[in-house]
Amino acid sequence: MNPEETAVALRGVHRTYGAGPTAVHAADGIDIDFARGTWTAVMGPSGSGKSTLLHCAAGLERVDSGQVLLGDTDLGTLTDDQLAELRRMRIGFVFQSFNLVGSLTAEQNVALPLRLAGRRPGRAEIRAALQAVGLGERAGHKPSQLSGGQQQRVAIARAMVTRPEVLFADEPTGALDTSAARTVLDLLRETTGHGQTIIMVTHDPAAAARADAVVFLRDGRIVDRLAGAGVREVADRLVALEA
Ligand code: ADP
């Protein structure tokens, strides 16, 4: 693995909603490279384009112009089916609300992406994924029998089981108390140690400060970037943007 390699790149990305005088430029010329094995937090006021950036980078939404590259793959050249396949095989997602399937056990939830990919996962593989998030003993529990923090750890195990090139996290600690949030952030940090790339949208300066870098959006543009910043510095920068 080349540490200088780019995992995801956005080149001149534009995404506009609506037309004419009421058009909203949710992405207004975004240029950014996310290096492999790094963790980037995306922050900005409400409506600044964080979700749009995440959705475009993850191939959930098409761009109007510009390029999104996952490794060497230009997402704009893919059909919808190919894009869905790419999301399934090369990208992992973690959401604020966990999005686990309530009727399935932790183990079955983690096995789901492999089953969707047409594989018949071995029990040992799934147990190992749950053990990696400290939940080896909870394999048979349904989401309702787990705390929020535990559910999010299952969601991380499910996202990581396909060994995706990039993990996209949308407010992963937004529904968690401080202690559970810290455990989840510790886990994310651990995955980057194994070369995982993480792109995370968050409102929480404490979560953002755990990332390697924080990029700040306003009006669909990247307006600032901090590397190795503390919680206070991140919070101050965000407040300045919201002013
Ligand atoms: P953030 O995640 O930072 O709150 P979004 O990316 O959700 O920002 O939205 C950026 C801008 O684009 C906002 O003004 C929002 O209202 C607008 N927007 C987002 N999605 C849509 C949509 N599907 N239709 C119309 N406008 C949208």
Side-chain angles (χ1 to χ4, degrees):
M1 185 183 73
N2 177 355
E4 298 303 314
E5 218 177 309
T6 297
V8 177
L10 275 66
R11 302 269 154 79
V13 164
H14 286 262
R15 180 75 172 95
T16 302
Y17 295 105
T22 59
V24 175
H25 301 286
D28 195 12
I30 301 275
D31 283 293
I32 187 167
D33 278 30
F34 298 95
R36 203 168 290 289
T38 63
W39 178 3
T40 306
V42 178
M43 299 193 94
S46 179
S48 60
K50 302 180 294 294
S51 304
T52 301
L53 186 155
L54 192 82
H55 291 168
C56 289
L60 285 165
E61 214 170 295
R62 300 272 185 185
V63 304
D64 294 330
S65 61
Q67 271 185 322
V68 179
L69 301 161
L70 175 68
D72 292 332
T73 311
D74 179 346
L75 303 196
T77 65
L78 305 181
T79 64
D80 287 349
D81 283 351
Q82 288 170 328
L83 206 50
E85 166 91 357
L86 173 140
R87 286 196 302 269
R88 204 162 55 232
M89 305 303 293
R90 297 174 59 184
I91 287 177
F93 292 98
V94 176
F95 304 93
Q96 175 170 358
S97 50
F98 324 132
N99 291 12
L100 298 175
V101 180
S103 58
L104 300 181
T105 63
E107 196 169 39
Q108 290 166 334
N109 268 284
V110 172
L112 211 51
L114 297 174
R115 291 192 180 281
L116 288 172
R119 280 187 48 198
R120 190 182 279 270
R123 187 152 225 168
E125 183 180 6
I126 302 305
R127 286 290 163 113
L130 278 169
Q131 268 155 13
V133 298
L135 291 175
E137 308 302 312
R138 299 279 196 279
H141 287 55
K142 300 244 172 93
S144 61
Q145 300 169 308
L146 298 170
S147 70
Q150 289 171 336
Q151 290 183 60
Q152 194 60 302
R153 282 148 68 192
V154 173
I156 290 171
R158 180 180 61 179
M160 294 301 296
V161 78
T162 55
R163 301 179 196 282
E165 288 164 51
V166 185
L167 180 67
F168 288 93
D170 196 354
E171 294 280 1
T173 58
L176 304 180
D177 63 41
T178 310
S179 153
R182 194 177 304 125
T183 305
V184 161
L185 294 166
D186 286 346
L187 267 178
L188 294 179
R189 170 48 69 199
E190 206 176 297
T191 69
T192 61
H194 302 134
Q196 183 64 48
T197 307
I198 303 176
I199 301 175
M200 171 182 80
V201 166
T202 184
H203 283 106
D204 179 6
R210 295 291 306 275
D212 298 304
V214 188
V215 297
F216 294 88
L217 292 180
R218 187 164 64 186
D219 299 331
R221 294 186 183 163
I222 294 174
V223 291
D224 213 343
R225 184 178 192 281
L226 290 174
V231 181
R232 184 62 187 272
E233 200 181 344
V234 172
D236 286 350
R237 201 61 64 100
L238 189 62
V239 169
L241 273 183
E242 284 172 342

